[in-house]
Amino acid sequence: MFDEIIDFLCKHAYNNGPSPSEDSLYLLSPIGQEVMKHLRRQISALTISCRSIIVPGFVLILLSIAFYSSPSIAAEAKSENETKDEIGKVEQTAHFAAILKEGDTPNSVAELKALQRIIQQAAKKIIPCTVGVSVGPAQGSGVIVSEDGYIMTAGHVIGKSGLDVTITFPDGTKVKGKTLGIDRSVDTGLIKITKPGKYPFLKIDKSSELQEGQWVLVTGHPGGYEKGRKPVLRMGRVLASYDDVIATDCVLVGGDSGGPLLDLDGDVIGINSRIGSRVSANMFVPSDLYTSNWERLKDGDVWGRVPGTPAPYLGVECDLKKKAPVIIRVTPGSPAERVGIKPGDIITSFNRRAVNTFDDLKMLVNQHSPNDVVSVVVARGSDELKFEVTLKRRSR
Amino acid sequence: MIVSPRTSRFKLFVTRITSLAMVCSLTLLIAPPANAQKRGSSSISSKLTQLVNQRSNIRVLSAFIEVVDTPSKSTVEILRDNKRQAIGTIVDADGLILTKASQVNLVMLKGELAPLVCKLANNDRHEAKIVSINKEYDLALLKIDVKRLDPIRFTLQEDPMVGAVLASTALGDKPLGIGVMSAASRTIKQSRPMIGVQLKDIVDGARVESIVSGSAAKKAKLKIGDVIVKIDMKQIKDTQTLISTIKEYQPGDIIRLLVKRGEEQLELLCTLGEYSSGPNQARHEFQNHLGGKLSSRRSGFPMVFQHDTFLNPEDCGGPLVDLDGNAVGINIARAGRVASYAIPAKVLPELIAKLMLDAESSEVSTSSE
């Protein structure tokens, strides 16, 4: 109907076309016809009063559209090519390279257009790989990072290892998955789609190479997956980048957790994690924390402690004079005592990780949270014993 | 579950800094890396408040001067009592301006409302009259007595592509805000209106038993023990009538309550809020409000697209333009922390034409009276 009004206006406001027949009017929606009738009334009313300089507002607003559109239809096709060439040229310049790589500021419309083109290309790649993740009643987001369906998400979205997950693709199709490992201290989490197949996926890039000011993108499902709405794109810049957290002004809200933070190539450089009250306070887990712990996450290992929460304890004291962790005392009522760990035992492994010193042990225990179930292997004489221990919060 | 509602900004930064320290020490324990702390040591909180690298800093906005040059001449500020209520879009050279209805269409219990004033790009001020309203889209058409204005140029394209860079225009030479196209046009379902009271049936009406904090009732200064007798023209016999009456309104609507407080009868105006139920939704709502105020009417639009420009409620009603300076839509709601909605250009001509027709027919009926 838009086009038809414009067509009408082009022809009649400028008086260089034939009057529309009644038939052509019927092609319009009822409102369109009303507009036409109204326009005619207005135009004729004007002609009678001869105030042709003050064209009634009605005509002008639509005219402004027509005026803009009609002469420029042919010109537009031409200028589109020109603009593309121009953008191409801009993309070659050193300053534009600095915008992309170092987070420099675009300072012309041509540079903004070139940047826009790159954002749009990246968005096309990113959106099909962004998924909705639901674990029980919890809803978050995730991003597929391998053809066989590994999904990076936030640790707090999945909560535990080995849980069933429903993955929702942007078109609404659903597949099943399982939760794998989590590092709670930094909020990394991994999921695997269990249905074999070839899935669209994004590359992971190094978060350590991020520059402050760098232009970045975010997608996810704010408020949870919503039918009829694709993953929602946002743009921003890196405000701070550390080993364990990235902050950007790509705005996030509940439901976005687990969705990807991306560079302008559309590669994953972080995962949406948490927010502060300012719109500029949006925190992400750096991608390097996934790649450097990939095997552990893949194995379904759950470790780490949410900062600020109490540490668990095992309840053993070791002989500090010896290098190996030889137990000299087991605290009564402690997790260690409950499973039957005894003085004289030498701890050799804690949750599948080798323990050589008491310091190793302390560090590993510290990485866990109360109520985590861990495997502890001890050497007792010539025997090797394995215990499943539920770590507890130290009672004061 | 991005962050617990009680985590204040300050606390958040503190935990982040401590955790940073913790992880570094862990890293050192495991294997001393060559550069454990490779980048600057200034605290994260100071970086977040620094404007230098933010996407909307002055240098970035300056790149848009050419983009908004023409459309800013078709932009107005709508003031009441010298305070900005909304932005407006000139849609007609003879003084017709489109804006967000719920921002400008107020009612008062007593006395006269200060008039609406449009401030133009050349700083001229003109008194404005609301000539018609489209409730569905929350659009109002205003009329000022000025000729030869520059009406906005709408794009002929379909919706902008996701990732398109967009600017919201203001009166100055720089945009009010910038952002990207986040999600294609869709229908936003109407959320239920909420007044925020628990009621008990008594003989001659519904008595307020408790009031939800931060709710419409609280803001309207309704008190526990008040008996709601009437909503607008409707007599309230009991709780059920009250609930069904409220359901006929939309969030953002202003209702007139007749209330019995002790021996007194008084009138209160109440702007209805959006319904939220259960702790999950409440938490989401809480997060949605982090970072700025939201439009009181922000749901129930037949067709809007979503972009990520940071706007305030009083920034709505103005043009949203692409990098060619053509309007791709009109900002109609600040809907959440990550979402601003715009009515797409493709539906606007029809809406504007209808608003103009309505304005005319109401003029005819008043003049024939």
Side-chain angles (χ1 to χ4, degrees):
Chain A
M1 121 124 212
F2 199 153
D3 291 345
E4 282 155 337
I5 290 186
I6 285 155
D7 202 13
F8 172 83
L9 285 164
C10 290
K11 282 179 183 150
H12 302 283
Y14 297 106
N15 273 330
N16 53 2
S19 281
S21 65
E22 285 302 317
D23 286 347
S24 70
L25 277 182
Y26 288 119
L27 295 171
L28 301 172
S29 59
I31 172 81
Q33 295 179 30
E34 265 178 81
V35 173
M36 298 281 186
K37 281 180 198 157
H38 188 88
L39 284 173
R40 280 192 190 156
R41 269 209 311 275
Q42 292 262 354
I43 292 168
S44 54
L46 265 185
T47 341
I48 292 161
S49 62
C50 292
R51 283 161 54 213
S52 53
I53 292 174
I54 309 158
V55 182
F58 215 128
V59 181
L60 254 197
I61 155 233
L62 297 168
L63 260 191
S64 60
I65 304 165
F67 190 60
Y68 157 64
S69 73
S70 62
S72 59
I73 286 169
E76 226 165 57
K78 199 169 58 176
S79 77
E80 202 163 275
N81 278 334
E82 275 170 22
T83 341
K84 268 204 180 138
D85 288 349
E86 221 170 85
I87 291 172
K89 268 182 217 153
V90 172
E91 282 174 7
Q92 315 282 317
T93 65
H95 184 249
F96 192 71
I99 293 172
L100 298 186
K101 296 278 168 268
E102 289 150 42
D104 229 330
T105 311
N107 47 28
S108 68
V109 179
E111 283 184 344
L112 284 173
K113 283 188 177 173
L115 184 65
Q116 163 175 274
R117 186 160 94 158
I118 284 173
I119 294 171
Q120 288 173 334
Q121 280 166 355
K124 268 194 191 153
K125 219 167 96 178
I126 295 160
I127 287 172
C129 306
T130 309
V131 293
V133 169
S134 34
V135 190
Q139 275 203 49
S141 306
V143 57
I144 311 173
V145 291
S146 75
E147 195 173 39
D148 57 347
Y150 278 99
I151 293 171
M152 277 161 70
T153 185
H156 75 261
V157 170
I158 58 181
K160 274 185 183 163
S161 182
L163 298 179
D164 289 325
V165 205
T166 306
I167 308 298
T168 313
F169 288 93
D171 65 0
T173 51
K174 289 179 195 307
V175 288
K176 293 278 168 212
K178 279 263 184 237
T179 63
L180 302 173
I182 301 166
D183 177 354
R184 284 180 294 230
S185 67
V186 290
D187 207 20
T188 52
L190 200 64
I191 294 172
K192 174 84 201 313
I193 299 176
T194 38
K195 187 183 168 197
K198 285 187 172 179
Y199 299 98
F201 68 100
L202 296 177
K203 253 175 52 196
I204 307 172
D205 207 343
K206 286 196 186 106
S207 54
S208 58
E209 287 166 8
L210 281 177
Q211 302 283 327
E212 281 175 16
Q214 190 172 329
W215 293 87
V216 285
L217 302 170
V218 149
T219 58
H221 291 285
Y225 178 82
E226 210 179 273
K227 217 181 146 210
R229 184 192 68 179
K230 294 264 166 74
V232 175
L233 184 80
R234 279 140 284 170
M235 171 192 71
R237 296 169 82 186
V238 175
L239 301 178
S241 173
Y242 298 106
D243 292 339
D244 69 334
V245 66
I246 301 167
T248 83
D249 57 1
C250 291
V251 270
L252 301 177
V253 78
D256 274 322
S257 287
L261 172 72
L262 312 122
D263 61 18
L264 292 180
D265 298 328
D267 296 340
V268 181
I269 46 167
I271 291 295
N272 309 341
S273 173
R274 50 208 180 268
I275 57 175
S277 60
R278 279 170 191 276
V279 274
S280 59
N282 307 281
M283 317 294 182
F284 305 81
V285 190
S287 60
D288 291 358
L289 293 173
Y290 289 80
T291 42
S292 60
N293 291 299
W294 194 257
E295 290 304 316
R296 238 181 132 176
L297 289 168
K298 224 167 117 175
D299 289 346
D301 203 356
V302 176
W303 76 99
R305 188 151 50 81
V306 178
T309 60
Y313 84 121
L314 179 62
V316 296
E317 282 172 38
C318 290
D319 190 347
L320 294 179
K321 278 173 263 168
K322 296 200 174 90
K323 190 174 172 278
V326 183
I327 298 172
I328 50 172
R329 183 170 173 269
V330 177
T331 313
S334 69
E337 196 209 31
R338 278 187 214 175
V339 295
I341 293 174
K342 292 191 171 127
D345 291 351
I346 302 169
I347 295 181
T348 57
S349 146
F350 184 90
N351 218 26
R352 300 194 298 273
R353 289 167 81 83
V355 175
N356 296 314
T357 66
F358 188 47
D359 281 342
D360 285 354
L361 179 67
K362 279 198 288 194
M363 184 196 75
L364 288 168
V365 172
N366 237 322
Q367 286 185 3
H368 282 267
S369 297
N371 301 321
D372 278 358
V373 180
V374 295
S375 63
V376 176
V377 180
V378 304
R380 183 176 292 169
S382 56
D383 292 342
E384 188 174 76
L385 303 174
K386 191 175 173 186
F387 300 98
E388 292 286 309
V389 189
T390 306
L391 297 176
K392 290 284 170 211
R393 185 176 168 176
R394 198 184 292 275
S395 51
R396 264 169 278 178
Chain B
M1 212 205 74
I2 277 198
V3 71
S4 96
R6 264 158 309 180
T7 311
S8 71
R9 183 170 77 236
F10 179 71
K11 208 166 119 200
L12 182 82
F13 294 147
V14 172
T15 42
R16 294 316 312 157
I17 294 159
T18 40
S19 81
L20 174 72
M22 191 193 81
V23 170
C24 285
S25 60
L26 272 186
T27 327
L28 286 171
L29 261 179
I30 297 161
N35 52 346
Q37 191 48 54
K38 53 189 187 301
R39 270 153 288 172
S41 59
S42 73
S43 78
I44 193 165
S45 56
S46 74
K47 290 205 169 163
L48 295 185
T49 49
Q50 267 173 17
L51 291 168
V52 56
N53 282 325
Q54 289 191 9
R55 70 169 204 188
S56 301
N57 82 4
I58 195 86
R59 285 184 54 214
V60 178
L61 293 186
S62 298
F64 286 80
I65 289 178
E66 202 186 310
V67 172
V68 298
D69 184 44
T70 308
S72 69
K73 295 191 180 78
S74 311
T75 308
V76 303
E77 280 185 9
I78 296 160
L79 317 168
R80 201 193 284 280
D81 270 335
N82 239 341
K83 227 186 115 210
R84 192 167 90 211
Q85 309 294 313
I87 300 286
T89 308
I90 300 174
V91 292
D92 174 283
D94 282 0
L96 289 179
I97 288 154
L98 204 58
T99 190
K100 180 167 170 67
S102 56
Q103 284 295 116
V104 295
N105 189 25
L106 300 182
V107 276
M108 273 248 295
L109 277 179
K110 285 180 208 120
E112 286 265 298
L113 259 179
L116 283 174
V117 170
C118 282
K119 188 174 150 195
L120 308 182
N122 62 5
N123 269 325
D124 280 359
R125 287 166 187 242
H126 300 275
E127 205 173 303
K129 235 177 39 205
I130 299 175
V131 291
S132 59
I133 280 180
N134 177 321
K135 264 203 92 173
E136 231 188 344
Y137 277 94
D138 199 24
L139 281 172
L141 192 66
L142 309 186
K143 173 94 177 89
I144 55 173
D145 205 6
V146 188
K147 310 263 181 226
R148 298 203 203 171
L149 295 172
D150 295 316
I152 193 78
R153 233 165 45 178
F154 286 108
T155 180
L156 294 175
Q157 318 288 324
E158 274 292 294
D159 281 0
M161 254 174 83
V162 169
V165 176
L166 305 172
S168 298
T169 63
L171 290 194
D173 65 340
K174 292 182 201 67
L176 195 64
I178 58 148
V180 289
M181 176 79 178
S182 291
S185 290
R186 65 186 198 275
T187 304
I188 305 294
K189 268 202 301 199
Q190 176 75 68
S191 62
R192 281 196 281 155
M194 181 167 114
I195 177 160
V197 288
Q198 275 193 330
L199 299 161
K200 194 178 173 185
D201 278 336
I202 57 162
V203 189
D204 52 349
R207 191 173 68 198
V208 176
E209 292 292 296
S210 71
I211 295 174
V212 178
S213 70
S215 66
K218 189 90 189 171
K219 287 177 198 152
K221 302 206 168 76
L222 212 65
K223 288 192 173 145
I224 292 171
D226 285 354
V227 178
I228 300 173
V229 186
K230 232 175 169 187
I231 294 178
D232 289 335
M233 299 311 288
K234 177 114 183 183
Q235 204 73 36
I236 303 300
K237 313 191 294 287
D238 51 20
T239 311
Q240 217 41 54
T241 353
L242 187 137
I243 292 169
S244 59
T245 308
I246 294 290
K247 271 189 186 159
E248 286 163 22
Y249 292 89
Q250 290 179 347
D253 281 352
I254 302 172
I255 55 170
R256 199 180 281 255
L257 297 172
L258 185 66
V259 162
K260 235 167 73 185
R261 181 175 294 169
E263 291 306 300
E264 247 186 306
Q265 278 222 350
L266 59 148
E267 268 196 310
L268 296 172
L269 284 180
C270 175
T271 309
L272 293 173
E274 292 216 350
Y275 184 80
S276 62
S277 69
N280 260 335
Q281 208 190 335
R283 184 171 60 206
H284 183 68
E285 270 308 292
F286 170 82
Q287 292 188 354
N288 240 344
H289 280 80
L290 285 183
K293 280 209 295 183
L294 306 181
S295 299
S296 57
R297 165 78 193 276
R298 55 179 185 276
S299 70
F301 299 104
M303 187 59 66
V304 289
F305 64 77
Q306 183 171 337
H307 60 105
D308 73 342
T309 310
F310 175 75
L311 297 174
N312 286 304
E314 62 273 18
D315 295 338
C316 293
L320 179 69
V321 302
D322 61 17
L323 291 178
D324 291 318
N326 297 319
V328 294
I330 298 229
N331 286 318
I332 200 62
R334 178 65 182 162
R337 179 180 158 98
V338 306
S340 293
Y341 293 150
I343 304 175
K346 62 185 178 198
V347 304
L348 279 166
E350 201 167 324
L351 288 174
I352 294 167
K354 179 100 186 349
L355 279 164
M356 286 178 174
L357 284 178
D358 288 352
E360 252 186 40
S361 55
S362 69
E363 209 174 297
V364 171
S365 64
T366 30
S367 59
S368 62
E369 263 166 23

